[in-house]
């Protein structure tokens, strides 16, 4: 199947700093990518939809100025957590619907990024 | 808003038995329902998709049913193996632009 990578796989930062997480589709193009957050033993919560060439669409309750999304190319989306606080500590996962030659029926997930804010 | 419920308690079964996991939803009419497997510290992996006009879908040892009247999907793993131990998530959507996930059910298959 298609491969989606994330970088870094884990990051520890101080409160007040900004952290950038990259999501790449390695063997297909993704005009749309999704960003999720997952707390321990909880479900994936959709944060936003990243659209190549246009602004991201944020879910209700997600601060767009805090979670900056940039879909720079057909294979790269970045999520920047600005002025991070301990409550932002979570597991962040991106996904992309399969593009050719893969089925669009399927979403491919990255391995996730564990963010810890001290 | 939509509500998706999966049994939060772990399901413990013996190797070789059939595991059945449930996904119930309310306040939503999905056109698609997907099942994913998630291992600790990893992203979900797609398993099966079923459409609203499909009653059942099979893939090897996996079977999914979708009852839009009951607003429920059942996920079966036959001849379960210890390697099937993981958390299984259901996800619902109206199109492929957006899916909403349940909280998942942890399956433990004991040898």
């Amino acid at each position: 199947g298609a491969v989606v990578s994330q970088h870094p796989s884990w990051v520890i930062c101080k409160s007040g700093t900004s952290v950038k997480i990259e999501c790449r589709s390695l063997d297909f193009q993704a005009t749309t990518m999704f960003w999720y957050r997952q707390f321990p033993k909880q479900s994936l919560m959709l944060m936003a939809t990243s659209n190549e060439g246009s602004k991201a669409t944020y879910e209700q309750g997600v601060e767009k100025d805090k979670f900056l999304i940039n879909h720079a190319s057909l294979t790269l989306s970045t999520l920047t957590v600005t002025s991070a606080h301990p409550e932002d500590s979570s597991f962040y996962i991106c996904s992309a619907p399969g593009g050719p030659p893969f089925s669009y029926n399927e979403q491919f997930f990255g391995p996730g990024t564990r963010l810890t804010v001290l | 808003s939509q509500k998706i419920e999966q049994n939060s308690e772990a399901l413990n079964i013996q190797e070789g038995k059939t595991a059945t996991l449930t996904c119930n939803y309310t306040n939503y009419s999905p056109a698609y329902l997907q099942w994913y497997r998630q291992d600790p510290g990893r992203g979900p992996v797609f398993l099966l998709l079923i459409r609203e006009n499909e009653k059942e879908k099979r893939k090897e040892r996996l079977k999914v049913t979708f009852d839009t009247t009951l607003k429920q999907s059942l996920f079966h793993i036959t001849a379960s193996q210890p390697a099937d131990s993981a958390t299984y998530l259901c996800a619902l959507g109206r199109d492929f632009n957006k899916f909403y996930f349940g909280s998942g059910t942890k399956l433990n298959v004991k040898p």
Side-chain angles (χ1 to χ4, degrees):
Chain A
V3 178
V4 174
S5 70
Q6 279 185 244
H7 178 79
S9 56
W10 60 271
V11 57
I12 300 173
C13 70
K14 293 181 179 180
S15 185
T17 61
S18 294
V19 174
K20 180 186 284 188
I21 303 170
E22 292 185 349
C23 177
R24 293 182 184 273
S25 56
L26 297 186
D27 44 8
F28 67 103
Q29 293 183 335
T31 56
T32 302
M33 290 183 175
F34 303 97
W35 286 97
Y36 296 84
R37 181 165 56 180
Q38 187 177 34
F39 293 107
K41 297 186 179 180
Q42 292 189 27
S43 179
L44 281 76
M45 297 301 297
L46 180 63
M47 299 175 64
T49 303
S50 173
N51 304 298
E52 191 271 335
S54 63
K55 292 182 180 180
T57 305
Y58 290 82
E59 293 299 299
Q60 193 173 11
V62 177
E63 299 175 57
K64 62 180 181 181
D65 293 332
K66 180 168 184 62
F67 298 100
L68 301 179
I69 291 172
N70 182 16
H71 202 130
S73 72
L74 288 172
T75 59
L76 173 64
S77 174
T78 60
L79 169 68
T80 301
V81 183
T82 62
S83 187
H85 290 285
E87 57 265 30
D88 298 323
S89 299
S90 188
F91 192 51
Y92 291 86
I93 310 175
C94 68
S95 74
F102 303 104
S103 169
Y104 195 74
N105 288 348
E106 194 170 331
Q107 276 209 57
F108 298 96
F109 282 82
T113 297
R114 173 75 59 192
L115 170 64
T116 302
V117 184
L118 303 177
Chain B
S1 62
Q2 72 283 347
K3 189 175 181 182
I4 304 165
E5 294 182 324
Q6 292 184 255
N7 194 337
S8 59
E9 293 183 10
L11 177 63
N12 299 303
I13 65 168
Q14 205 66 34
E15 181 177 9
K17 300 293 185 182
T18 296
T20 299
L21 289 74
T22 304
C23 175
N24 294 298
Y25 60 93
T26 56
N27 299 332
Y28 199 56
S29 297
Y32 306 95
L33 190 148
Q34 298 180 330
W35 282 89
Y36 289 81
R37 169 183 174 141
Q38 187 176 25
D39 291 288
R42 310 287 286 272
V45 175
F46 172 82
L47 297 174
L48 279 169
L49 175 144
I50 188 166
R51 292 175 169 80
E52 62 178 337
N53 61 349
E54 297 176 317
K55 296 294 184 185
E56 182 179 297
K57 204 75 155 306
R58 291 175 185 260
K59 180 182 177 182
E60 298 174 351
R61 295 186 295 113
L62 308 180
K63 185 178 84 171
V64 172
T65 63
F66 192 8
D67 190 326
T68 55
T69 301
L70 291 178
K71 294 186 180 294
Q72 179 182 79
S73 174
L74 299 179
F75 177 76
H76 306 272
I77 305 176
T78 58
S80 59
Q81 304 165 1
D84 295 327
S85 298
T87 295
Y88 291 87
L89 307 167
C90 67
L92 283 62
R94 287 202 185 94
D95 55 41
F96 295 111
N97 288 327
K98 189 180 291 189
F99 277 86
Y100 297 98
F101 282 80
S103 55
T105 298
K106 187 174 182 182
L107 173 65
N108 295 314
V109 181
K110 299 180 180 179

